[in-house]
Amino acid sequence: MLVGPGEADIAIDSLTWALRLYPGATAWVREDRTSDGTREKLEKFAAGFPGCVHLESNLTSQGYLGIAVSMFRLYETLIIRFPQLEMAIQLDPDACLLREGVVDLARERFATHGPGMIGAYMFSPTGAARNHRSWRNKFIKDLSPIGRDLKTNKLRFGFPFYTKHLLKALKYHYKLGHHVLSSFYILHGDTIRALKESGFWAAMPEAGSRQIKGDDPLLSLGTFAAGHKLIEINDHSNGAIQTWIQFRPPIPLSAREIVDRRLIAIHPVKSDKDGIALRTEVRSLLGQVPSSRS
């Protein structure tokens, strides 16, 4: 999980429930060199889960447009510390795990499709087709040898860091801009290892790329470059989806509908009044009581 300024409380809430469901899991959290008390809150939380919660910080604050840089650095650290890692489950602070089942679901999908990245890919939770054109257009701009940086507004020259990986991805029929939403996804350990061995994680410069600032399209491109798959998380064949992952709020479901559908993960559930109310009601209906460890 990546945590920015002001996100400590919602991040702690989401992580607490994830660790309650999977007490044997290890949580890796990277905060954005914050100075508003976020780091201190996360340190206190991590102290309550000794050996289970690992907290690190960016060297410099990256901001929203530096999310991909932050995520690449986190994966570099993670795979060095856990070289035999089976899988990594990425949660945004406003994503919620609600039930056990995500690990079993991931193992089933990987067994069927092979290693790769599982998440909301070709379809939205409603079954509507997702549109990948926006990222495709940004890639086209990014691949020009001369371009203006989206974050700094400065001119940068040369080809982006991922150029050689893009050429590999195209050999595996990668379509420019196709991506899994990074709000909630599962990345196979073999994929993380392959991207380390190919130099993909380390290739990301601290300034990121010119136009491609999101981790969604870059991680998806890297997955293809490794010869692995982007895998749909929901089985839409019978309409009984397992997760509700969308880009923007609000989730068009009541707490009762979320529980009755037996969803195992949802996004986004923000830290505003409506979001907190939805979290509270869902967990109340599930009969969940927070466990404290200190």
Side-chain angles (χ1 to χ4, degrees), residues 12-245:
I12 288 168
D13 183 71
S14 294
L15 287 167
T16 298
W17 288 101
L19 290 169
R20 178 183 181 274
L21 290 169
Y22 290 98
T26 300
W28 281 78
V29 183
R30 190 174 181 94
E31 64 91 24
D32 194 27
R33 188 60 67 176
T34 56
S35 58
D36 65 340
T38 295
R39 167 83 194 191
E40 290 72 19
K41 286 184 177 181
L42 291 171
E43 286 176 340
K44 184 177 180 181
F45 169 70
F49 291 82
C52 294
V53 178
H54 299 266
L55 176 63
E56 56 181 54
S57 298
N58 282 333
L59 296 177
T60 59
S61 177
Q62 287 288 339
Y64 180 75
L65 292 179
I67 283 178
V69 178
S70 302
M71 187 60 75
F72 275 48
R73 299 297 177 256
L74 182 55
Y75 278 120
E76 279 187 280
T77 303
L78 181 64
I79 202 59
I80 290 171
R81 289 290 301 274
F82 292 94
Q84 302 305 315
L85 182 72
E86 179 187 2
M87 68 180 75
I89 301 169
Q90 201 293 130
L91 290 171
D92 275 4
D94 57 350
C96 297
L97 283 183
L98 302 178
R99 304 173 184 270
E100 295 178 348
V102 65
V103 172
D104 291 339
L105 173 65
R107 286 172 176 160
E108 177 187 333
R109 294 285 193 273
F110 287 138
T112 301
H113 300 281
M117 184 178 183
I118 301 172
Y121 174 33
M122 293 301 292
F123 301 98
S124 74
T126 64
R130 292 187 60 239
N131 189 327
H132 300 266
R133 287 194 298 271
S134 175
W135 283 120
R136 180 197 63 192
N137 294 339
K138 289 179 182 178
F139 267 114
I140 291 171
K141 291 181 180 179
D142 209 39
L143 286 162
S144 170
I146 301 175
R148 194 168 295 276
D149 186 273
L150 186 64
K151 185 176 181 181
T152 65
N153 203 34
K154 294 180 180 179
L155 277 176
R156 292 173 61 191
F157 302 91
F159 293 100
F161 77 94
Y162 55 79
T163 302
K164 73 172 186 178
H165 303 282
L166 173 60
L167 295 175
K168 291 180 182 178
L170 292 172
K171 292 181 181 178
Y172 293 107
H173 309 292
Y174 167 71
K175 295 180 180 179
L176 202 63
H178 273 226
H179 66 285
V180 164
L181 275 180
S182 62
S183 315
F184 171 81
Y185 64 83
I186 305 104
L187 201 57
H188 196 286
D190 286 351
T191 306
I192 303 173
R193 281 183 285 275
L195 294 179
K196 176 182 180 294
E197 292 165 5
S198 70
F200 184 71
W201 301 129
M204 168 75 84
E206 284 299 303
S209 209
R210 288 186 294 249
Q211 292 291 319
I212 309 300
K213 300 299 186 181
D215 51 335
D216 322 48
L218 291 174
L219 287 173
S220 300
L221 182 156
T223 298
F224 262 94
H228 298 173
K229 302 285 183 62
L230 299 184
I231 304 165
E232 197 70 49
I233 192 167
N234 288 320
D235 180 1
H236 290 276
S237 61
N238 58 12
I241 64 173
Q242 295 77 26
T243 66
W244 191 284
I245 309 299

Side-chain angles (χ1 to χ4, degrees), residues 98 250-251 253-256 258 266 268-270 272-284:
L98 302 178
I251 293 176
L253 301 174
S254 67
R256 172 54 67 184
I258 289 170
I266 55 176
V269 190
K270 300 289 187 180
D272 56 17
K273 180 180 177 181
D274 291 339
I276 295 299
L278 183 61
R279 285 174 180 247
T280 302
E281 188 176 356
V282 166
R283 287 168 180 162
S284 175

